[in-house]
Amino acid sequence: QVTLVESGGGLVQTGGSLRLSCAASGRTFSGVYMSWFRQRPGKERENVAAINWSGSNTYYADSVKGRFTISRDNAKNTVTLQMNSLKPEDTAVYFCAAKPGYNGGSYLRRTYDYDYWGQGTQVTVSS
């Protein structure tokens, strides 16, 4: 069992930055593949970034590449999403998700790839 709690959302102007954090508890975090998803109003949930268990591999959706950075601290059981150059279309509820036990090299971007989810944090980018 993995419990995930996101924080760091809020309201920011276009071009601004936000840093989202996801705190994990319940099992050895270093063996868990992690992702950030978002759900924009009226849209399906989509993956924006993922990171393997060691942090050596990161993956990004084309829409955020070059602007968002995912990282993890296994000693603190946290995964972070640094979001820069934010745009109004980044407005969404952001979720972190976990898949324990996966150590492959693929970019897992589908919601059904993941076993555990946080409750989400709202990010609003004003124009």
Side-chain angles (χ1 to χ4, degrees), residues 74-89:
N74 288 341
K76 296 182 179 179
N77 286 5
T78 58
V79 62
T80 298
L81 186 69
Q82 177 66 43
M83 305 186 295
N84 298 328
S85 302
L86 283 161
K87 307 174 182 180
E89 52 264 42

Side-chain angles (χ1 to χ4, degrees), residues 10-16 18 37-48 61-65 67-68 83-94 122-127:
L11 174 64
V12 65
Q13 291 186 333
T14 296
L18 280 175
F37 285 76
R38 69 185 180 190
Q39 190 160 15
R40 293 182 279 188
K43 303 288 187 180
E44 293 187 352
R45 197 170 294 190
E46 60 178 351
N47 187 277
V48 296
D62 288 342
S63 59
V64 306
K65 205 171 290 184
R67 301 188 297 121
F68 290 12
M83 305 186 295
N84 298 328
S85 302
L86 283 161
K87 307 174 182 180
E89 52 264 42
D90 295 318
T91 294
V93 179
Y94 284 73
Q122 176 71 46
V123 171
T124 303
V125 184
S126 63
S127 57

Side-chain angles (χ1 to χ4, degrees), residues 5 25 36 42 48 54-55 79 83 85 92 95 98 102 110 114 118 122:
V5 179
S25 62
W36 285 95
V48 296
S54 68
V79 62
M83 305 186 295
S85 302
F95 300 87
Y102 179 73
R110 290 177 287 262
Y114 293 85
Q122 176 71 46

